[in-house]
Amino acid sequence: MIVALLYLILAGAYLLVIPLAVLFYLKQRWYVASSIERLLMYFLVFFFFPGLLVLSPFLNFRPQRRQVQV
């Protein structure tokens, strides 16, 4: 039973918790990252790709539409 619980916790961390942290990190640092930091970002996206696919339909980090004053 303990082994099954451990697998469940690790799967939850791999598919939900860490990719959520990666997404918020990418949102904060995408436009100001150095080249080494950008390499780390690409690695994190590659490594946690299944979790990012699970979360991507629910999160929208696109820029907000601009309000044009006339």
Side-chain angles (χ1 to χ4, degrees):
M1 188 66 181
I2 301 247
V3 173
L5 184 64
L6 182 62
Y7 272 110
L8 187 65
I9 290 171
L10 288 175
Y14 181 73
L15 289 176
L16 296 175
V17 177
I18 298 173
L20 187 64
V22 167
L23 281 172
F24 281 109
Y25 174 72
L26 291 175
K27 181 179 184 243
Q28 292 296 319
R29 299 289 301 167
W30 185 257
Y31 294 108
V32 293
S34 66
S35 60
I36 300 297
E37 188 177 4
R38 193 162 303 272
L39 184 67
L40 173 70
M41 289 176 177
Y42 292 149
F43 170 75
L44 290 174
V45 168
F46 175 74
F47 194 74
F48 294 108
F49 187 72
L52 293 173
L53 279 179
V54 169
L55 292 175
S56 64
F58 306 108
L59 297 175
N60 181 6
F61 289 139
R62 289 180 287 177
Q64 297 296 321
R65 179 174 277 190
R66 291 182 9 182
Q67 298 296 325
V68 178
Q69 302 284 335
V70 187

